[in-house]
């Protein structure tokens, strides 16, 4: 189970690496969808420490990213942040199979905008 956390980071990077969506108007001073996808594609964040540390760092990073990107991709990233914060609060700091499924579902939603 300890290898699941890096796998989620790797899967997220692979899913987001194909981002090149079209720009959508935004009412807030956030990035456009296209800018968001480019940002996600070049994000090089790497967590360090124990599984709990990594989960907490990933949750915090996802939160920071969600606050910057277009609302279309912000919502699933926020949900991913919430999941990773739950993981960080668990005794092991390792995702359950249900949490991994939820993370993959959110990544798929991001992929719908970042094609």
């Amino acid at each position: 189970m300890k290898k699941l956390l890096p796998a989620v980071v790797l899967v997220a990077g692979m899913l987001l690496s194909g981002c090149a969506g079209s720009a959508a108007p935004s009412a807030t001073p956030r990035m456009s969808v296209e800018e968001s996808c480019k940002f996600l594609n070049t994000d090089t964040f790497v967590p360090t420490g124990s599984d709990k540390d990594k989960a907490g760092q990933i949750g915090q990073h996802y939160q920071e990213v969600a606050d910057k990107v277009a609302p279309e991709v912000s919502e699933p990233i926020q949900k991913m942040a919430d999941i990773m914060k739950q993981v960080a609060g668990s005794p092991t700091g390792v995702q359950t199979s249900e949490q991994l499924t939820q993370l993959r579902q959110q990544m798929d939603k991001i992929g719908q905008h970042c094609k």
Side-chain angles (χ1 to χ4, degrees), residues 54-64 80-81 84-85:
K54 289 177 184 177
Q57 291 168 23
I58 292 169
Q60 181 62 38
H61 181 68
Y62 286 169
Q63 179 68 58
E64 292 169 4
M80 291 170 66
M84 291 309 296
K85 289 174 186 176

Side-chain angles (χ1 to χ4, degrees), residues 87-107:
V87 172
S90 73
T92 62
V94 177
Q95 302 97 335
T96 64
S97 60
E98 180 181 335
Q99 289 167 325
L100 282 171
T101 298
Q102 292 171 351
L103 288 166
R104 285 186 193 109
Q105 290 170 343
Q106 298 312 312
M107 286 183 234

Side-chain angles (χ1 to χ4, degrees), residues 2-112:
K2 285 190 173 193
K3 296 196 180 219
L4 293 179
L5 182 61
V8 169
V9 174
L10 179 61
V11 170
M14 290 182 343
L15 284 173
L16 299 176
S17 66
C19 290
S22 60
S26 178
T28 63
R30 292 179 178 236
M31 295 179 200
S32 68
V33 172
E34 182 177 3
E35 292 167 331
S36 297
C37 292
K38 287 180 183 177
F39 173 78
L40 294 171
N41 189 37
T42 59
D43 186 17
T44 59
F45 173 76
V46 178
T48 59
S50 69
D51 288 340
K52 286 178 71 75
D53 292 339
K54 289 177 184 177
Q57 291 168 23
I58 292 169
Q60 181 62 38
H61 181 68
Y62 286 169
Q63 179 68 58
E64 292 169 4
V65 170
D67 292 340
K68 296 178 186 177
V69 296
E72 294 87 344
V73 292
S74 176
E75 182 180 336
I77 294 172
Q78 179 61 57
K79 289 180 182 176
M80 291 170 66
D82 294 341
I83 293 166
M84 291 309 296
K85 289 174 186 176
Q86 290 173 356
V87 172
S90 73
T92 62
V94 177
Q95 302 97 335
T96 64
S97 60
E98 180 181 335
Q99 289 167 325
L100 282 171
T101 298
Q102 292 171 351
L103 288 166
R104 285 186 193 109
Q105 290 170 343
Q106 298 312 312
M107 286 183 234
D108 288 345
K109 290 178 183 179
I110 295 166
Q112 291 172 358

